[in-house]
């Protein structure tokens, strides 16, 4: 189980670091800003998870591999952008963001749900969702955007679905099957919502013209 969680965390770290770095590039940040945004996106959810579970200091500060991988990934994205590879490729940028964000969300969601152990289904699901969306929220706040989970493509709901699928399947089908099913649920719902433009209902508020 420890190996499985480690692999999931590496996947999530790599994917979220890339999405954070790409957001920094879009915001025209310098290399330091891009690296910090990639790092924060990659490890933010894990830090929140560890604090909730009472695991201190958070794993990020015990093992530098996560921070190192996140910074290296962010710098790699910056170098690619610096060479002008993203210029004129808006559709590719949007697709890459969707893929990286979905993979990171899925990996961290199911990884956290597994790590929470047998402390009750509610805690497993709650920790899974918070870990999955935490890094993205920090990324958007630092970038000056409205957090993605509140406005676009049923983001948090995809994490919730993945956590529920993982938790329900684990005692029936085992860890490997539940992890794969949970991740596929997250990625599939994210892709379908992006393709069909699914969003949760928004309140309609008329703005004053005064």
């Amino acid at each position: 189980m420890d190996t499985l969680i480690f692999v999931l965390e590496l996947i999530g770290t790599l994917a979220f670091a890339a999405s954070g770095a790409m957001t920094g590039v879009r915001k025209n940040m310098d290399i330091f800003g891009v690296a910090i945004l990639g790092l924060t996106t990659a490890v933010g959810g894990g830090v929140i998870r560890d604090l909730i579970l009472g695991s201190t200091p958070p794993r990020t500060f015990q093992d530098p591999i996560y921070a190192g991988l996140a910074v290296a990934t962010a710098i790699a994205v910056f170098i690619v952008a610096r060479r002008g590879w993203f210029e004129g490729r808006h559709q590719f940028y949007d697709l890459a963001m969707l893929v990286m964000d979905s993979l990171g969300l899925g990996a961290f969601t199911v990884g956290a749900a597994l790590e929470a152990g047998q402390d009750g289904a509610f805690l497993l699901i709650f920790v899974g969702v918070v870990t999955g969306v935490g890094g993205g929220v920090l990324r958007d706040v630092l970038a000056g955007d409205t957090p993605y989970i509140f406005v676009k493509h049923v983001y948090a709901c995809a994490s919730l679905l993945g956590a529920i699928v993982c938790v329900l399947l684990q005692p029936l089908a085992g860890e490997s099957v539940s992890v794969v099913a949970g991740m596929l649920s997250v990625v599939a719902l994210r892709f379908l919502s992006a393709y069909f433009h699914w969003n949760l209902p928004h309140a309609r508020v008329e703005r004053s013209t005064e």
Side-chain angles (χ1 to χ4, degrees):
M1 181 172 173
D2 290 341
T3 301
L4 181 58
I5 291 175
F6 178 69
V7 171
L8 289 171
E9 288 188 336
L10 289 183
I11 294 173
T13 299
L14 177 65
F16 265 166
S19 76
M22 292 173 70
T23 299
V25 168
R26 178 174 58 84
K27 289 290 185 175
N28 199 31
M29 295 182 180
D30 60 21
I31 188 171
F32 182 77
V34 170
I36 291 299
L37 202 59
L39 174 64
T40 302
T41 308
V43 305
V47 170
I48 296 173
R49 172 204 62 210
D50 291 342
L51 292 176
I52 292 175
L53 296 177
S55 177
T56 55
R59 186 175 304 162
T60 298
F61 304 113
Q62 299 182 41
D63 191 343
I65 187 173
Y66 302 104
L69 178 60
V71 172
T73 301
I75 292 175
V77 171
F78 179 85
I79 293 173
V80 171
R82 180 77 173 176
R83 293 177 179 273
W85 209 86
F86 290 139
E87 293 181 6
R89 294 184 172 92
H90 300 295
Q91 289 185 336
F92 173 82
Y93 175 88
D94 292 339
L95 178 60
M97 277 291 293
L98 175 64
V99 171
M100 292 296 101
D101 223 22
S102 299
L103 286 176
L105 182 65
F108 276 143
T109 295
V110 298
L114 284 179
E115 189 167 10
Q118 304 298 322
D119 295 317
F122 178 73
L123 177 62
L124 269 66
I125 294 170
F126 178 80
V127 170
V129 173
V130 169
T131 306
V133 305
V137 171
L138 293 175
R139 173 198 64 205
D140 295 336
V141 170
L142 290 176
D145 295 329
T146 300
Y148 206 61
I149 67 170
F150 300 136
V151 295
K152 203 74 170 175
H153 300 330
V154 292
Y155 190 93
C157 291
S159 178
L160 179 60
L161 174 64
I164 291 174
V165 168
C166 183
V167 169
L168 292 180
L169 280 182
Q170 187 176 353
L172 300 175
E175 293 174 358
S176 298
V177 173
S178 63
V179 163
V180 172
M183 282 195 65
L184 287 178
S185 299
V186 173
V187 174
L189 183 54
R190 290 281 291 120
F191 275 39
L192 288 172
S193 65
Y195 183 80
F196 291 107
H197 303 288
W198 292 343
N199 286 296
L200 296 177
H202 288 236
R204 294 183 178 273
V205 180
E206 294 184 4
R207 296 182 178 180
S208 174
T209 57
E210 295 180 2

